[in-house]
Amino acid sequence: MASFLFSLLRFTIFLLIVHSKPCFPSKPSLLLPIKTQTIPRLSSATSTTSKLPFRHNVSLTVSLQVGSPPQNITMVLDTGSELSWLHCNKSQNFNSFFNPFASSSYSTIPCTSSVCTNRTRDLPIPASCDTDKLCHVIISYADLTSSEGNLATETMSMGSLKQPRFIFGCMYSGFSSSSEEDSRTTGLMGMNLGSLSFVTQMRYPKFSYCISGFESTGVLIFGDERLPWLKPLNYTPLVKISDPLPNFDRVAYSIQLEGIRVGSKMLNLPKSDFTLDHTGAGQTMVDSGTQFSFLLGPVYTALRNEFLQQTKGILRVLNDPNFVFQGTMDLCYLVESTRRNLPELPVVSLLFTGAEVSVSGPRLLYRVPGLVKNGKDSVYCFTFGNSDLLGIESFVIGHHHQQNIWMEFDLAKSRVGFTEFRCDIASKNLGIGLI
């Protein structure tokens, strides 16, 4: 993960995962709106009033209430992380995003607690004791910066549902930003399969979301809501392994990518390019905390070459070997700024075990903000990147390619479901608008 792009929305949170299967009691479903939000590039300064350490791309945010009395907070939805965390303050005399001193239900976790000590065996940066003998954690990012704070418990509220003693990170240090847009985001909602994740602690057996698009509303559902207007889903099973492997994340939503088709042509690649090796490298993760999608080198190269071949005469290639968008995307095009719509492009279909996701139209090309060539041409880049340039050994399906797809994460049946759907219509049908 040498590039800053992967760290922009996807944190590497070094907390040991407990793999026991949770028990999911029956409870009513809960509907929440989600919103895409641009998180600006942050400065390198640190401050007790630090903002979220995201870079300049898009995140998915959802509003909740935390504490007693409830404080309104906004969290980034991240299926690639475990620990949920909030920005807190060490001082009662300083304004903060979440003020633990104003909540009667806030409680710190001592470093002698099993929650702290049982998660230190595999940590590159183990949990430790601070000067107050509280459980101290450090979250490390791919750009070698970090944020730190203490594990704590608090009451988490979603509608009428209240979950007391919810374990989260109360983070004090991080990056600072004066951006108004940045200041609207309080923390991160870790949604993977780990025992400390939001969905595990809230004990919902299923959650779903639907993303409308950039700066648009979406919907997040906890539970099993009956939706008669939703088309049937195609399911792919979660990939699980019994033995720990150094390059396999056992609490990620890992599914099996079997092939890629461009238009009507299948990429001519061996099965071994999509399967795990003996170290666990080569898994495919569904990650709402990453914007774009990334493929291992040989697969990326094959896709890039085929897409380039099929767009000859349709698009003008940016022939600049020194320009690689965000360090991972080296296939870019020139499009006249006055042009309203992109030309018809070949559909890229991702083939999973039992399911297929088609990426088409504007989801295939991303306009580089503020970049104009020749005084009249905007630059658009192919929205698949090279994992090798990130220093990771995985396929990652980001949320840009999940737009207008109903995404269902069925924990009880260990599967992920997909179906194409206009997510703005889903929000309208459910009576949910922008946050």
Side-chain angles (χ1 to χ4, degrees), residues 104-391:
S104 61
S105 51
Y106 175 83
S107 179
T108 56
I109 294 178
C111 54
T112 55
S113 168
S114 61
V115 174
C116 188
T117 59
N118 286 350
R119 304 182 193 285
T120 60
R121 295 191 300 272
D122 293 343
L123 292 182
I125 306 176
S128 60
C129 286
D130 65 10
T131 55
D132 295 321
K133 297 185 178 181
L134 300 178
C135 187
H136 184 76
V137 293
I138 297 177
I139 301 175
S140 296
Y141 312 113
D143 60 0
L144 302 181
T145 60
S146 64
S147 181
E148 59 185 298
N150 296 115
L151 286 186
T153 63
E154 185 54 282
T155 297
M156 185 72 65
S157 302
M158 297 192 303
S160 60
L161 175 65
K162 294 184 182 297
Q163 180 66 47
R165 297 198 60 78
F166 181 92
I167 300 171
F168 72 106
C170 204
M171 313 309 286
Y172 303 118
S173 71
F175 293 100
S176 64
S177 172
S178 59
S179 166
E180 177 184 355
E181 197 70 30
D182 188 26
S183 67
R184 296 175 186 171
T185 305
T186 311
L188 180 137
M189 179 188 288
M191 293 286 286
N192 71 10
L193 294 167
S195 64
L196 288 183
S197 79
F198 187 92
V199 67
T200 300
Q201 290 196 66
M202 299 302 284
R203 296 182 176 273
Y204 273 107
K206 180 187 296 184
F207 69 94
S208 307
Y209 59 75
C210 201
I211 306 164
S212 294
F214 185 73
E215 290 295 341
S216 298
T217 187
V219 60
L220 168 66
I221 297 180
F222 288 98
D224 194 5
E225 182 79 1
R226 304 299 179 186
L227 305 172
W229 38 263
L230 187 65
K231 296 186 294 184
L233 276 67
N234 294 314
Y235 290 96
T236 185
L238 291 175
V239 175
K240 296 186 177 182
I241 60 172
S242 56
D243 297 324
L245 295 176
N247 292 315
F248 187 88
D249 185 347
R250 290 194 292 168
V251 292
Y253 294 103
S254 183
I255 58 180
Q256 184 59 59
L257 179 63
E258 296 185 335
I260 299 177
R261 187 175 61 244
V262 183
S264 60
K265 184 176 180 180
M266 286 290 298
L267 297 183
N268 185 19
L269 293 167
K271 184 178 179 181
S272 59
D273 282 350
F274 298 99
T275 54
L276 299 176
D277 67 13
H278 66 284
T279 71
Q283 78 178 120
T284 300
M285 298 181 287
V286 182
D287 187 356
S288 69
T290 297
Q291 184 177 12
F292 301 113
S293 295
F294 301 94
L295 309 173
L296 291 179
V299 178
Y300 170 76
T301 300
L303 173 60
R304 179 193 187 280
N305 291 342
E306 183 59 33
F307 190 82
L308 181 61
Q309 178 64 33
Q310 293 194 28
T311 52
K312 279 186 176 180
I314 300 175
L315 292 170
R316 290 180 294 143
V317 177
L318 172 66
N319 291 310
D320 183 354
N322 297 318
F323 182 78
V324 179
F325 180 49
Q326 297 189 343
T328 64
M329 302 173 187
D330 61 357
L331 177 56
C332 298
Y333 297 92
L334 296 174
V335 179
E336 290 184 2
S337 300
T338 55
R339 183 164 186 161
R340 288 191 173 186
N341 299 309
L342 293 170
E344 186 174 350
L345 301 172
V347 175
V348 175
S349 299
L350 305 176
L351 310 180
F352 304 102
T353 304
E356 179 177 323
V357 171
S358 295
V359 182
S360 61
R363 288 185 294 165
L364 286 167
L365 297 179
Y366 180 81
R367 183 176 182 177
V368 179
L371 182 59
V372 177
K373 296 285 187 178
N374 309 317
K376 61 181 179 60
D377 294 325
S378 297
V379 176
Y380 284 75
C381 293
F382 193 42
T383 53
F384 288 88
N386 190 341
S387 292
D388 293 357
L389 296 178
L390 291 174

Side-chain angles (χ1 to χ4, degrees), residues 7-47:
S7 64
L8 101 128
L9 293 173
R10 168 70 168 93
F11 300 129
T12 305
I13 300 181
F14 294 118
L15 289 174
L16 177 65
I17 311 302
V18 174
H19 301 287
S20 58
K21 186 175 182 180
C23 176
F24 299 111
S26 176
K27 59 174 66 180
S29 60
L30 182 69
L31 309 181
L32 292 171
I34 57 176
K35 179 184 179 183
T36 56
Q37 173 180 316
T38 300
I39 305 298
R41 184 189 300 264
L42 305 180
S43 70
S44 59
T46 60
S47 169

Side-chain angles (χ1 to χ4, degrees), residues 66-69 71 98-107 154-155:
V66 177
S68 304
Q71 299 178 40
F98 173 69
N99 185 358
F101 301 101
S103 174
S104 61
S105 51
Y106 175 83
S107 179
E154 185 54 282
T155 297

